[in-house]
Amino acid sequence: MLNKKLKIGFIGTGVMGKSMANNILSSGLTLYVYNRTKLHAQSLLDAGAIWKENVAELSSSVDVIITMVGYPKDVEGIYFGDQGIIKNSKIESTVIDMTTSKPSLAKQIYTEAKAHGINALDAPVSGGDIGAKNANLAIMVGGDKEIFEKIKPIFELMGKNIILQGNAGAGQHTKMCNQIAIASNMIGVCEAMIYAKKAGLNPETVLKSIESGAAGSWSLSNLAPKMLKGDFEPGFYVKHFVKDMNIALSEAKEMGFLAPGLKLSKELYDELVVLGKENSGTQVLYQLLDKN
């Protein structure tokens, strides 16, 4: 059962974080927010969220802190140091990093948090901006089962498929599995739509036939229509996908796994970055392949 007396802190109100935070706020919980650019949190403030001027001030004010930032370096920047989350959080509070980040960093946060009497979970998500807005995210969690069970009612405000995958770092490893599956699938989705067009078919009609069969996927149903409309606005940024693929390739290399499909996808997305498309949505791969 959700404890309505809990004070929740949310750091990182970007494309996904803003919607996730809004779903928490809409439940009636007291929500404190901090973001490097205050303007990006303005809609939450207008809806009743409470602004905090820095990470340390937010951390000392709440019972649960959720972070959803861009890169592992950003996670390190807000968790560690004298003004960071760990040194300023209340004893027995819980910190939850929902950023897609390094499994090793998740383990480091867990260890440091425990040393300061704080609980920690890593809980990256999948479902993009659509899943974030609809509170329908898949949430992959690493950490202690007891803490997971206590926090689960908060996760349920943001997602539907919520699974404890194992100890600290397990959530991040699971997210790497998710990103590896998406990476190769995105190539297939783009090529299928381009093939349909070049064969003289109506791609929208083709999509109706194939999305409910064996070829069906989240990307096919949600991103292929955007590709066909020329809508390349970000639900998930190219630059963040490249970051995720870099982490997955590094982890795979350590395990002695070549991951050839992931490697190919990463090379294609690197081309998009060179072309200045890093702030576009991942479906912009269609634009690159359609020109080749």
Side-chain angles (χ1 to χ4, degrees):
M1 182 179 294
L2 183 65
N3 180 357
K4 288 296 186 74
K5 294 182 180 180
L6 285 175
K7 294 179 179 179
I8 311 297
F10 205 105
I11 299 175
T13 55
V15 172
M16 293 184 63
K18 184 184 296 184
S19 294
M20 293 162 68
N22 186 63
N23 288 329
I24 293 172
L25 184 62
S26 298
S27 75
L29 287 170
T30 302
L31 182 72
Y32 296 79
V33 298
Y34 171 73
N35 194 70
R36 285 182 299 187
T37 304
K38 187 176 181 179
L39 182 63
H40 293 167
Q42 192 58 52
S43 63
L44 293 168
L45 301 179
D46 292 342
I50 301 166
W51 175 256
K52 288 297 180 179
E53 290 295 334
N54 53 59
V55 171
E57 187 180 325
L58 180 143
S59 301
S60 63
S61 304
V62 301
D63 305 300
V64 177
I65 301 170
I66 297 170
T67 55
M68 186 69 171
V69 293
Y71 298 87
K73 64 180 180 181
D74 300 319
V75 175
E76 291 173 356
I78 59 176
Y79 273 90
F80 304 122
D82 290 341
Q83 299 303 309
I85 290 171
I86 291 175
K87 285 195 175 180
N88 291 280
S89 293
K90 296 187 290 187
I91 300 298
E92 296 186 0
S93 61
T94 300
V95 299
I96 309 165
D97 186 28
M98 303 188 79
T99 312
T100 298
S101 186
K102 298 176 182 177
S104 59
L105 181 54
K107 293 176 184 178
Q108 183 183 355
I109 291 171
Y110 175 88
T111 300
E112 291 288 328
K114 283 293 183 183
H116 286 79
I118 303 165
N119 304 306
L121 298 171
D122 52 286
V125 302
S126 182
D129 61 328
I130 297 170
K133 288 175 183 176
N134 296 333
N136 196 32
L137 293 168
I139 305 177
M140 313 154 213
V141 188
D144 298 337
K145 184 176 181 180
E146 179 185 357
I147 303 305
F148 168 75
E149 294 297 342
K150 287 181 179 179
I151 295 297
K152 192 174 181 182
I154 298 174
F155 286 143
E156 288 172 343
L157 300 175
M158 299 178 281
K160 302 297 183 188
N161 182 13
I162 305 159
I163 299 175
L164 178 66
Q165 294 291 341
N167 296 328
Q172 296 294 356
H173 274 305
T174 303
K175 182 58 185 289
M176 291 303 105
C177 295
N178 184 85
Q179 301 305 75
I180 290 169
I182 289 174
S184 295
N185 180 241
M186 281 294 290
I187 297 173
V189 170
C190 293
E191 290 183 345
M193 294 299 96
I194 294 167
Y195 182 98
K197 183 176 70 172
K198 291 187 178 296
L201 303 172
N202 182 326
E204 286 86 358
T205 305
V206 171
L207 184 57
K208 289 178 182 178
S209 287
I210 69 175
E211 67 177 340
S212 61
S217 70
W218 187 94
S219 295
L220 189 66
S221 295
N222 292 280
L223 297 182
K226 290 187 176 184
M227 295 173 187
L228 298 176
K229 292 176 183 176
D231 177 3
F232 303 117
E233 288 300 305
F236 185 56
Y237 289 108
V238 165
K239 61 186 178 184
H240 290 159
F241 195 30
V242 170
K243 174 261 297 183
D244 295 353
M245 288 189 283
N246 275 326
I247 294 172
L249 283 168
S250 177
E251 294 291 332
K253 184 178 180 181
E254 285 190 20
M255 293 183 280
F257 174 45
L258 294 177
L262 176 61
K263 184 174 182 291
L264 172 59
S265 186
K266 167 67 167 44
E267 290 171 355
L268 292 171
Y269 276 95
D270 282 341
E271 286 188 49
L272 288 168
V273 172
V274 171
L275 292 170
K277 303 289 186 180
E278 66 272 14
N279 290 314
S280 296
T282 53
Q283 69 273 18
V284 77
L285 181 62
Y286 174 88
Q287 200 174 55
L288 177 69
L289 297 180
D290 195 29
K291 288 184 177 181
N292 292 340

